[in-house]
Amino acid sequence: MDGDGDGDILGAYNALILENDGSGSFVEHQGLLDANADKVRCEDVDLDGMLDVLFYGENGDAAYVLNQGALSFSTRIRDPGSLLIFGTR
C-alpha cells in the first residue's frame, strides 16, 4: 500500500491498514472510510501505478479511495455505480 516493496495488510473492518515497517512489525493506520465494509479490493482505478482501495457492503453500497502515495488517500468517494468496478479485471 505504501509502495516500499514490503507486504502491508488491508482490512475491511474500519478500513484498517497495517503498514509493514520492514522489520516484521506493523504500524496501524485507520480512517480510510468511516464505515465497515464486507469486502475490500485493491486495484489501480486511476491507472497511476498505485493501488487504490475499493470497498463493498452487503447492502449494495460501494466506495473507493484513491492512493496518492505514502499512505495518503484522496477524499472518500461513495458511488453506487462504482459496484461495476468489482470483477471487471
Side-chain angles (χ1 to χ4, degrees):
M1 294 303 308
D2 59 1
D4 65 2
D6 54 25
D8 302 312
I9 299 171
L10 174 65
Y13 185 77
N14 285 335
L16 172 72
I17 292 178
L18 296 175
E19 176 190 7
N20 186 336
D21 69 3
S23 70
S25 296
F26 290 86
V27 178
E28 184 176 318
H29 299 272
Q30 288 184 298
L32 289 183
L33 200 63
D34 58 358
N36 296 328
D38 296 301
K39 296 179 183 177
V40 63
R41 178 175 173 168
C42 294
E43 188 157 333
D44 187 5
V45 175
D46 56 0
L47 304 175
D48 64 358
M50 293 180 277
L51 289 175
D52 306 305
V53 185
L54 299 91
F55 301 94
Y56 172 74
E58 283 185 8
N59 62 358
D61 289 341
Y64 60 94
V65 293
L66 301 177
N67 188 343
Q68 304 300 314
L71 294 176
S72 174
F73 293 84
S74 69
T75 305
R76 297 149 189 81
I77 301 169
R78 294 180 182 269
D79 179 8
S82 64
L83 286 172
L84 299 174
I85 295 171
F86 284 90
T88 59
R89 290 189 191 184

